[in-house]
Amino acid sequence: MGEWYVFIERNTGYGESNWVLKARVHVEGGREQALAHAEELSLTWPGGRRAEENGHRVFRTAETSWLVELTEEAWHPDWEEPRTFTEYFRLTVAELVASKETPPAKRPAPKKGVLRRALGRD
């Protein structure tokens, strides 16, 4: 195997943590290239927002993983004061160590319904 990837997960939970895989990025080369690419992504991943409108903090949580905190401040006309919204991403470097192709799906057996019984095809 020996293929390297960067996984990007986004926390979609409000109140509870609910991490969802947003991207699986294949990296040409080895571990060092994957680590460098993950570090670059931690600084540039937009999180669905324009980078110039975000606060941005990157935490290295382990040798092969980062936590990115994106913040945005907004002020709606109905609000007394601005509000800050925070979003989190995790980046993890991983090596593919095993793989098995998905077997093809099998066609389901025809349904036995009233018409099939009436025609004697059951």
Side-chain angles (χ1 to χ4, degrees):
M1 297 280 116
E3 294 181 30
W4 288 88
Y5 291 84
V6 177
F7 293 102
I8 302 171
E9 300 170 281
R10 176 178 175 223
N11 187 350
T12 60
Y14 296 97
E16 285 188 25
S17 206
N18 185 26
W19 292 94
V20 175
L21 183 64
K22 298 305 284 182
R24 180 183 70 187
V25 180
H26 181 259
V27 178
E28 294 294 329
R31 183 177 189 272
E32 294 307 314
Q33 288 84 357
L35 288 169
H37 193 59
E39 190 166 352
E40 178 186 330
L41 286 171
S42 76
L43 298 170
T44 60
W45 187 258
R49 298 181 176 151
R50 291 186 292 208
E52 64 273 6
E53 296 176 1
N54 289 330
H56 195 109
R57 290 185 181 166
V58 178
F59 302 91
R60 188 173 192 147
T61 57
E63 185 181 356
T64 59
S65 60
W66 293 259
L67 177 72
V68 178
E69 177 186 76
L70 298 177
T71 56
E72 181 179 6
E73 193 167 274
W75 198 329
H76 189 274
D78 295 339
W79 299 343
E80 295 288 325
E81 57 189 31
R83 295 183 186 170
T84 302
F85 299 93
T86 306
E87 191 172 9
Y88 293 94
F89 289 88
R90 290 192 299 210
L91 292 93
T92 306
V93 171
E95 180 183 14
L96 178 64
V97 296
S99 178
K100 178 186 173 198
E101 294 298 319
T102 304
K106 295 179 182 175
R107 180 182 293 270
K111 292 186 178 186
K112 297 180 180 181
V114 176
L115 184 57
R116 292 188 60 80
R117 281 195 300 270
L119 297 172
R121 294 186 181 166
D122 274 348

